Each structure stands twice: as C-alpha cells, then as structure tokens.
Amino acid sequence: MATRTVLLACFIHFFSLLWQSLASPIEDCARLSRSLPGLVFRNGTREFAESITSYFYVQARLLPACVVSPRDAEEVALAVDFLSKTGSPFAVRGGGHGSVTGAANVARGITIDMRSIADVYLDHGTATLKVGAGATWDMVYNRLDPHALSVLGGRAAHVGVGGYLTGGGISFFSPQRGFACDYIINVQVVLSNGTIVNANATHATDLFIALKGGSNNFGIVTRFDLRTFRQGDLWGGGIVYPNSTFEKLLGTFTSFKQLESFDPFAEIELSFVYLGSSSTSIATSSLYYAKPVVNATTFMPFMLVEPQLSNTLRISNTSDFAKETLALSTQNQSSVWATTTFTMTSTILSRILPIWQASALAMNRMTTITSSMTFQSIPPPPPRGMPNSLGFHTKSSPEKNLVLCLISIFFEDTKSQEDLELATKDFIRAVDQVAEDEGAEELFTYLNYAAGWQNPLHDYGDEVLNDLRKVAIEYDPAGILQKQMGGFKLS
Ligand SMILES: Cc1cc2nc3c(=O)[nH]c(=O)nc-3n(C[C@H](O)[C@H](O)[C@H](O)COP(=O)(O)OP(=O)(O)OC[C@H]3O[C@@H](n4cnc5c(N)ncnc54)[C@H](O)[C@@H]3O)c2cc1C
C-alpha cells in the first residue's frame, strides 16, 4: 500500500511538473493577449511565422509558445512585469542576427519581438539620434545619410540595433572612434520589475556602463540615444581574390597591423573562405576609408595584390556599403560562429591559416559547409571618464596591436550543428595554442561573435565581471533575467 502511495505521489509530481513546463507559457500567452490585444501571436498565425522565419540563421528559429510584439516601452514593461511573476522562460529579440541558439528566442517560452519599436528620430538641435531598440541599421543610415551625418553602427544593413549595441559594436568608423556603444548618450530600459528607467552619464550610471557590453543581463532596452557625427561619403567596397594570393594577403595584413602603419580612417576585414560545395577557396578584403579618398594609400598594398576576381571599391555612402555587406552575407542556413583575440606577431597569421584549412576540410567531411575566417582590428578603448564594460583600459591600444579572429561556418544539414560546434571549438583552441606559443594570447572574446560555449562576460576580466554582477543584483534583485532569459549570463 505504502509503495503504491509513493508511486502515485511520484506520478502526480511528474505530471504536475510536466504540466507546469508545458501549460504555464501557453496560459501566459492567453493572459498576455488579454492585456495586449492584437499583439500576441501563436503558432499558426502569419505574424508568428514571419517572426520566426525572419531570424537570420536557422538555428535561432525555435518555436516559442507565442511571440509578443510590443509597440512601446510601456507595453514591454507590462509583458516583462507579468512574465517575471509567472516564472515562464522568455527571450528578447532585436534584429534576430545573433548566432547563439536560445539567446534571442526560446522554445515553448514567450519571445518578445522588439521590431515594432523602431522609430528613428533625429534631433537636429542636439545632433542626437533616438533609435527604437528594435530598429535595424539600414533604417538608421537611411535617416542620416541625407544629412551627411552618421553614428557608429553595424556594417550589414539588417543587423539589429539592440543586440549589436549591448554587445559592443564594431563599425566602419571604429578604428577612429571606438566601439559603437561608446557613442550612446542615453539608454531607455525596462527593468525586470517593469520599471522604465533612463540610464546615462548622470543618472543610473552604473546601469549605463553595464549596458555597454553586458548584453541582456540588466533589462530590456527600448531606446538608444546616440551621438551623431559629420560623415559624408566614404571610399570602400570589397576585393575577391583566388587562393594563390593567400600568403601575399597575410603578409599585407601583417604589414597593415605594424604600429607605425596605423591609420584611424582605415577599417578592414580580411576573410578566407572555403566553399565545400566546390572544394575551392577564395579570400576577400572589405576595405573602408572614412573619407572620400579614392585609392587611399593605406589600402594600396591590398589593391596591388593580384589576381583579383572582382573589385567593388568606390565612393558611396554608409547605407550603400551596409546593403552590399548584407547582400554578400549567407542567411537562411544554419551557422556556427566563434571568436578569439590575439596580439599581432609577424608569424601568427601564417601559422593559423593551415589550421583553418585543415579544419574546413575536416568539417566538410561531416557535411557540406562554407567556412569563413576573418581577421580585423579591435576598436580603441573609450575615452577617460566614459567607461564601457568591455574590459580595455583607457591607456591600452587594442586598435593597434590586437587582431580579432572570427570563424563562421554555414551549412544546410541541421543535424550537424553540434558536431560543427565541437569542431569549431577545436579550431579556437588550436588558435589559442598558437597565440600562447607566440606569447600573443589575449583574454578577450567579442560577445557579438561568440559561440554559446564561450564566456565573453568572464573574459572582460574579474573586475568588470564583479561590477556587472553588482549592477545585475541592484537592478534585477530577483535574478529574473539570469534565470528566465537565455544568452550570455553572469553566473
Ligand atoms: C550578417 C551579419 C553582419 C554583422 N555585422 C556586424 C558588424 O559589422 N559589427 C559587429 O559588431 N557585429 C556584427 N554582427 C554581429 C551582431 O552584432 C550580433 O549578431 C548582434 O547580436 C545582432 O543584434 P540583433 O539585435 O540583430 O540580434 P538578436 O539575435 O535579436 O539578439 C542578440 C542578443 O541581444 C539581445 N538583445 C537584442 N535586443 C535587445 C534589447 N532591446 N534589449 C536587451 N537585449 C537585447 C538578445 O536578447 C540576444 O541575447 C553581424 C552579424 C551578422 C549576422
């Protein structure tokens, strides 16, 4: 009899847990749709399908119990306050360009899709741009280009403002001006208890600093006020080269990174791409000079590398260059991204190239892939008195001596996700080993490029991490955003 009672109790407990995990978010969706009529979408609706299929990468297209599309900060506050009380898992989605599964979407939970909060307002008096956190960078550039103004923003048109800025942000103008988050003047943010606060240099300053690199750990950003600067046309575009140029390009990039060569107007991404479908490799250099200077001297060595398969260098505006990057980006496939950083040495790049080539071939034996390895500079640190949370000392010069390495793998076969993540992890480990051998290791993992298994917030350093944890406790004392929301967490 006693055994039967215990079994029955276990049975009831199991089903109540199952019911909680399945039923609560569904119930939450029903209750939310009563408070936010017409803004909550279940699977089977056109809006739900549009939201899910608009994630840039397939691995981010999880199926939540519902998608909530608030139109302003008050509606975000209502949803977040409600969800913090029910305990259901939820996610916040900006432009949907992140590669980490579960960071901006949640299976069987509630996904808050911020894309309806996308007003872009230029205050001519203060030269400040107020941008809804659900906007994308093409909306921003379309607004600013006609006024010969710009901000620090994404280099691809559809990247979201929300994820990009809370992760740091590398822009066309970063070598001169820094991480994009350093040009934020004010952040309007909804805390986990539904309070709406403004964080800036004089109010809630600890929160303001934490949001510059600390991702979604402190609140849901609803608006960024950004400092604009004068920026007319620039000179830029891309050159595509065959694999016979690889060694030459590595040498050219190595010279470009010599300290005395530093040119604050020159921004470059050098990529090596393996196309598994045709077993071919190419290289691309994306070059942007922040002035309308044709054939900028700093870039001459890249322009002289021959042969070239194509060349789009031209004078144009930021919108046009961001559109070009989008057109060249692989989307609607599964992807794996991971990143590491090291100090430049004369030999490090030529030691990494064969490791990448071997890893691409090995991955292509698992399933057909495209593998891309990109080198670029880290932006300079923020000026004194305007800290961010990325961990670089104001006196350091990451823009001169550090190289950011991004590997991204694209593939159709969704079943290969885990294996390719493991293979990518091996690649990053091997690069870190080379960096260690060269005395070039650097503990910085760029959050916006990081894989789910990486720990970018920890890699900002103990001091920053402790500060971030204090801010999280102050503004989210119940730890709602740590427990109920995915992404890079502080634990
Ligand atoms: C084609 C392409 C080009 C890119 N180009 C660049 C580039 O030039 N420079 C660069 O630095 N990075 C670049 N990235 C990386 C990009 O910055 C990150 O993927 C970034 O997370 C995208 O932001 P999102 O809003 O689109 O992402 P999402 O996937 O929507 O969100 C990413 C993370 O941010 C959080 N988040 C989003 N909105 C908010 C909000 N309002 N409040 C709080 N948290 C929020 C989400 O919860 C999630 O954890 C690029 C990525 C792609 C795919």
Side-chain angles (χ1 to χ4, degrees):
M1 184 66 183
T3 319
R4 278 178 60 191
T5 313
V6 170
L7 275 176
L8 185 66
C10 289
F11 189 72
I12 292 169
H13 181 63
F14 172 75
F15 275 99
S16 77
L17 283 180
L18 188 69
W19 174 247
Q20 259 176 29
S21 68
L22 294 177
S24 305
I26 292 172
E27 176 58 21
D28 286 358
C29 291
R31 288 172 61 192
L32 269 173
S33 65
R34 288 196 283 278
S35 325
L36 297 170
L39 302 177
V40 179
F41 304 103
R42 299 290 312 275
N43 200 349
T45 61
R46 187 179 48 78
E47 292 85 352
F48 182 96
E50 188 282 325
S51 179
I52 302 307
T53 53
S54 66
Y55 283 88
F56 207 66
Y57 296 126
V58 168
Q59 77 276 10
R61 297 175 184 175
L62 306 174
L63 295 180
C66 60
V67 172
V68 183
S69 297
R71 294 162 302 185
D72 55 32
E74 285 70 26
E75 289 178 350
V76 173
L78 190 152
V80 172
D81 180 40
F82 171 76
L83 292 168
S84 69
K85 290 177 178 132
T86 68
S88 288
F90 65 98
V92 172
R93 176 250 162 100
H97 272 50
S99 64
V100 176
T101 305
N105 194 2
V106 54
R108 295 179 295 281
I110 290 96
T111 296
I112 303 176
D113 181 339
M114 298 291 288
R115 288 177 304 155
S116 301
I117 304 180
D119 280 351
V120 180
Y121 169 75
L122 175 61
D123 181 336
H124 288 276
T126 58
T128 303
L129 192 78
K130 295 176 190 289
V131 189
T136 50
W137 289 107
D138 53 340
M139 299 175 183
V140 170
Y141 300 142
N142 288 340
R143 185 78 188 82
L144 292 178
D145 277 343
H147 301 280
L149 291 173
S150 203
V151 290
L152 297 180
R155 289 163 295 186
H158 290 176
V159 169
V161 167
Y164 171 94
L165 283 177
T166 51
I170 303 178
S171 113
F172 295 119
F173 313 111
S174 280
Q176 181 194 6
R177 298 176 181 274
F179 278 99
C181 62
D182 294 333
Y183 273 47
I184 304 174
I185 298 169
N186 178 66
V187 187
Q188 183 191 62
V189 54
V190 173
L191 304 181
S192 62
N193 64 4
T195 312
I196 302 170
V197 297
N198 280 286
N200 50 53
T202 54
H203 183 256
T205 307
D206 50 356
L207 176 61
F208 182 51
I209 297 167
L211 285 164
K212 297 195 249 178
S215 195
N216 63 11
N217 287 292
F218 314 97
I220 318 308
V221 178
T222 43
R223 198 190 75 224
F224 295 94
D225 300 345
L226 303 177
R227 180 181 145 202
T228 65
F229 49 87
R230 288 253 134 237
Q231 178 65 54
D233 284 352
L234 46 157
W235 181 71
I239 305 177
V240 180
Y241 315 84
N243 64 0
S244 56
T245 60
F246 281 11
E247 282 302 326
K248 180 83 186 136
L249 283 168
L250 289 179
T252 308
F253 190 82
T254 304
S255 307
F256 169 79
K257 287 297 295 178
Q258 296 304 302
L259 296 187
E260 64 278 9
S261 311
F262 181 72
D263 179 343
F265 299 103
E267 202 271 324
I268 171 164
E269 292 149 81
L270 177 64
S271 299
F272 297 87
V273 183
Y274 170 77
L275 303 154
S277 54
S278 55
S279 301
T280 50
S281 300
I282 52 166
T284 65
S285 60
S286 304
L287 311 170
Y288 302 99
Y289 204 73
K291 295 176 179 179
V293 175
V294 176
N295 300 339
T297 319
T298 312
F299 286 148
M300 235 14 193
F302 291 96
M303 297 168 63
L304 293 174
V305 174
E306 293 284 354
Q308 299 181 2
L309 302 174
S310 67
N311 181 327
T312 66
L313 289 169
R314 64 201 183 278
I315 301 265
S316 194
N317 61 20
T318 315
S319 311
D320 183 42
F321 288 122
K323 250 186 246 154
E324 181 182 34
T325 313
L326 169 65
L328 295 171
S329 304
T330 307
Q331 58 179 311
N332 298 320
Q333 289 198 10
S334 293
S335 76
V336 170
W337 286 38
T339 183
T340 189
T341 307
F342 47 80
T343 305
M344 193 62 186
T345 71
S346 57
T347 47
I348 193 161
L349 300 186
S350 46
R351 289 184 66 186
I352 291 171
L353 183 71
I355 298 173
W356 169 74
Q357 285 167 320
S359 96
L361 290 177
M363 289 185 201
N364 203 51
R365 284 193 286 274
M366 298 175 188
T367 186
T368 305
I369 56 139
T370 297
S371 172
S372 164
M373 174 178 69
T374 300
F375 299 126
Q376 62 187 300
S377 294
I378 299 269
R384 266 175 78 94
M386 291 178 56
N388 61 36
S389 289
L390 297 159
F392 292 106
H393 193 277
T394 41
K395 288 204 178 118
S396 63
S397 312
E399 72 280 19
K400 294 188 180 156
N401 53 15
L402 296 187
V403 176
L404 181 61
C405 171
L406 162 67
I407 180 161
S408 30
I409 315 295
F410 307 100
F411 50 99
E412 299 278 358
D413 174 20
T414 52
K415 291 193 296 302
S416 297
Q417 183 85 31
E418 209 171 303
D419 289 343
L420 289 168
E421 272 170 25
L422 287 174
T424 308
K425 197 172 185 176
D426 287 344
F427 169 77
I428 294 291
R429 261 202 221 114
V431 173
D432 287 345
Q433 186 58 56
V434 171
E436 198 183 320
D437 293 349
E438 298 253 333
E441 68 270 43
E442 173 70 31
L443 190 67
F444 175 73
T445 306
Y446 181 41
L447 189 141
N448 280 342
Y449 291 173
W453 53 267
Q454 297 192 289
N455 223 332
L457 299 168
H458 287 239
D459 294 347
Y460 292 163
D462 289 344
E463 201 182 323
V464 173
L465 183 63
N466 286 338
D467 287 348
L468 293 179
R469 284 180 174 150
K470 279 188 211 147
V471 176
I473 289 169
E474 187 183 343
Y475 292 92
D476 177 27
I480 303 293
L481 305 178
Q482 299 304 306
K483 290 183 293 208
Q484 286 176 238
M485 240 171 86
F488 295 107
K489 299 287 100 178
L490 293 163
S491 50

